[in-house]
């Protein structure tokens, strides 16, 4: 059960951190960028960068989140680097979150679910396209657009994170709209997420159907933590977006469980502030983040 | 201005039809599927199928919608077929809609906008990843997740379609939630879409920021048509999903303009019902659809 696996890694490492491999080519050191003039060249260097980061961090972090937009923008070659990054992170036993925010009607959602969580049939042969442990999804199309993902969660021991309360400022335009019932949209969406997860609750009490809850919204996060006892949170917005440890404390329960906190630019680009190699700086930034989180979240011991 | 171009093609051809290239490998005739055992093999055959369909239909339809899920599920090779299909349809002067339902926070949305509507920078060289005229997007993250797309619409004469009222049954769970103000969510989202389009209104009165409005929901469509006078509709749900011409009539104004109606399975798989070659059957099904739509929508003459 994937959320159990993620939680166990968090407990073992005493670190609820997820490193976001939002590897924009511009983030790479100058010497890795020189002479590149094609998508193929970019893809090769981005994968080299990711590989070195994964090698450097895999003993101290439980998971990576790989944002597909930063690969797709380099075309087919970029998608090859995406596939390679997902697979390399899995080889290093990291819990891999494909951040793709997929959404569509049921028949199409079933294709997305196979792409990221299951297998694609080719004349009876089962093949993996972009394999991950979790994929992020957008719930605007309701249950029939989510159920195909839940089916894969059940049969393949995979997970999803559904957008509930996003970290960006404008999310409130939709997500904080108050319904006639008095409940804001994000909490209503959260209620659906809790329901979608009912069939996959693991031994720590959290299901395979998680929620994206931004570190930048502590009030909403506190409401959601209380309303969604079985929902594990993927928490973006720490660092570059303005979230800090104190703000995201309310996402966690008394045992220090309940979520994983993503940091992308703060780790990938740490070398630009701190100097040194990108991977040494990334390791130092990751350790600093773990200490910062530990100062407010006491992850339970084994 | 892309919506003007789309409307002019609709007027010229007297046909507000969009063919959905949701080309699942299973849809191909048996002789095209035989001996294929890899994603590369699938991708080659899918592109052959699409190419023949585009060749057969490009003189009678204004546009195609290419659903990325049906390509991504065949991995990197599938994405190559996606790129080739977008480019081939553009060569045949079709208006090309990338159906990708992308959504993210601003910095990431900017990458998606470049991927589908603009160009990606590689050390100062500008390159296209998956070029289309329109891309579909999901507005759950609000304005800062949409603005980067609107920026590309303005600078590159491109367009987007934002999910407003989707064709699937469960869409109502979120989209028909009534807000405190008394307005249902889909209409509130529609209001944002109308506002996002203000800077790109063309000579027919429609902007580059369109809305996805399912053919399966005539009541909601009528409300939206009235509330969103400058918003062009992409209308899925005709055919296999249960929508018919009478149901989607309310999406159109008195001059027979206001939207483009998508049909995927009904055209791609027409040969399975009607016999003959897949492309002859697709052409017959497309002509039948045009007649069916014409019986209720009188597209203005030049």
């Amino acid at each position: 059960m994937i959320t159990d696996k993620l939680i166990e890694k968090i407990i073992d490492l005493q670190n609820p951190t997820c490193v976001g491999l939002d590897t924009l080519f511009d983030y790479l050191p100058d010497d890795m960028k020189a002479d590149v003039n094609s998508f193929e060249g970019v893809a090769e260097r981005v994968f080299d960068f990711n590989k070195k980061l994964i090698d450097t961090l895999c003993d101290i972090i439980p998971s990576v989140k790989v944002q597909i937009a930063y690969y797709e923008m380099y075309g087919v070659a970029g998608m090859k680097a995406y596939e390679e990054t997902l697979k390399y992170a899995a080889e290093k036993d990291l819990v891999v979150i494909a951040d793709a925010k997929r959404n569509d009607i049921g028949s199409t959602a079933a294709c997305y679910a196979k792409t990221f969580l299951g297998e694609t049939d080719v004349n009876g042969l089962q093949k993996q396209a972009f394999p991950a442990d979790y994929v992020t999804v957008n719930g605007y199309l309701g249950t029939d657009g989510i159920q195909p993902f839940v089916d894969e969660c059940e049969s393949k021991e995979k997970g999803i994170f559904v957008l509930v309360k996003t970290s960006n400022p404008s999310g409130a335009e939709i997500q904080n709209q108050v319904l006639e019932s008095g409940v804001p949209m994000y909490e209503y969406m959260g209620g659906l997420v809790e329901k979608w997860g009912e069939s996959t609750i693991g031994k720590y009490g959290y299901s395979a159907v998680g929620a994206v809850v931004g570190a930048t919204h502590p009030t909403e996060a506190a409401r959601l933590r209380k309303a969604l006892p079985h929902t594990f949170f993927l928490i973006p917005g720490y660092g570059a977006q303005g979230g800090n440890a104190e703000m995201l404390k309310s996402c966690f329960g008394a045992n220090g469980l309940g979520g994983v906190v993503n940091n992308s630019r703060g780790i990938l680009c740490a070398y630009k502030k701190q100097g040194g190699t990108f991977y040494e700086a990334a390791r130092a930034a990751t350790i600093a983040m773990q200490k910062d989180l530990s100062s407010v979240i006491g992850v339970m011991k084994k």
Side-chain angles (χ1 to χ4, degrees), chain A:
Chain A
M1 196 277 170
I2 190 62
T3 307
D4 284 349
K5 179 182 172 183
L6 175 56
I7 290 171
E8 273 156 21
K9 287 184 78 78
I10 289 169
I11 294 171
D12 283 347
L13 299 166
Q14 289 288 297
N15 190 12
T17 290
C18 176
V19 171
L21 296 173
D22 303 8
T23 315
L24 203 58
F25 186 55
D26 274 352
Y27 292 173
L28 272 55
D30 288 341
D31 62 329
M32 290 186 77
K33 284 189 294 200
D35 301 331
V36 170
N37 59 15
S38 66
F39 284 164
E40 288 73 17
V42 169
E44 194 188 309
R45 300 293 165 83
V46 162
F47 180 58
D48 288 345
F49 181 93
N50 288 346
K51 201 160 171 282
K52 188 73 187 169
L53 266 188
I54 291 167
D55 286 341
T56 310
L57 300 176
C58 65
D59 65 323
I60 56 170
I61 58 168
S63 61
V64 289
K65 178 175 83 64
V66 197
Q67 169 53 260
I68 198 167
Y70 294 87
Y71 299 82
E72 195 179 61
M73 70 187 292
Y74 303 111
V76 172
M79 293 300 285
K80 179 78 186 149
Y82 191 69
E83 180 196 354
E84 288 172 337
T85 300
L86 295 178
K87 288 181 174 170
Y88 192 74
E91 273 175 38
K92 297 290 168 179
D93 203 34
L94 291 164
V95 172
V96 180
I97 303 168
D99 193 1
K101 298 183 175 66
R102 292 298 186 257
N103 63 107
D104 218 297
I105 63 170
S107 51
T108 305
C111 295
Y112 282 133
K114 287 175 189 167
T115 301
F116 293 102
L117 305 180
E119 283 147 357
T120 302
D121 180 276
V122 175
N123 282 333
L125 300 168
Q126 303 301 314
K127 295 176 181 289
Q128 291 189 311
F130 297 103
D133 294 307
Y134 289 89
V135 64
T136 58
V137 301
N138 183 319
Y140 189 71
L141 287 93
T143 298
D144 61 28
I146 297 295
Q147 193 57 48
F149 292 98
V150 176
D151 293 345
E152 296 291 336
C153 291
E154 289 173 353
S155 64
K156 306 279 183 187
E157 304 237 332
K158 300 287 184 172
I160 57 175
F161 288 104
V162 185
L163 297 187
V164 169
K165 176 64 191 164
T166 60
S167 56
N168 62 319
S170 302
E173 287 172 12
I174 310 289
Q175 299 157 26
N176 286 41
Q177 285 295 318
V178 177
L179 308 181
E180 269 187 333
S181 60
V183 171
M185 176 52 82
Y186 72 83
E187 197 170 316
Y188 174 78
M189 184 71 86
L192 290 175
V193 172
E194 182 79 8
K195 204 176 77 183
W196 292 328
E198 272 172 2
S199 62
T200 58
I201 297 173
K203 64 182 178 186
Y204 294 95
Y206 293 103
S207 82
V209 181
V212 174
V213 178
T216 42
H217 307 296
T219 312
E220 288 91 338
R223 277 184 74 141
L224 288 167
R225 182 68 292 153
K226 205 171 162 189
L228 314 177
H230 306 100
T231 302
F232 202 76
F233 293 173
L234 170 61
I235 307 161
Y238 176 91
Q241 290 182 56
N244 61 42
E246 195 55 47
M247 286 164 77
L248 56 81
K249 190 179 172 182
S250 59
C251 293
F252 292 81
N255 59 1
L257 300 180
V260 67
V261 183
N262 185 70
N263 189 358
S264 302
R265 277 170 280 177
I267 290 171
L268 269 57
C269 299
Y271 76 96
K272 293 187 181 185
K273 282 189 182 168
Q274 302 173 18
T277 65
F278 74 88
Y279 49 93
E280 286 164 340
R283 189 171 170 100
T286 304
I287 291 169
M289 177 173 168
Q290 191 256 351
K291 282 192 182 147
D292 184 38
L293 295 180
S294 293
S295 70
V296 296
I297 304 157
V299 174
M300 64 179 276
K301 299 276 181 357
K302 246 188 186 161

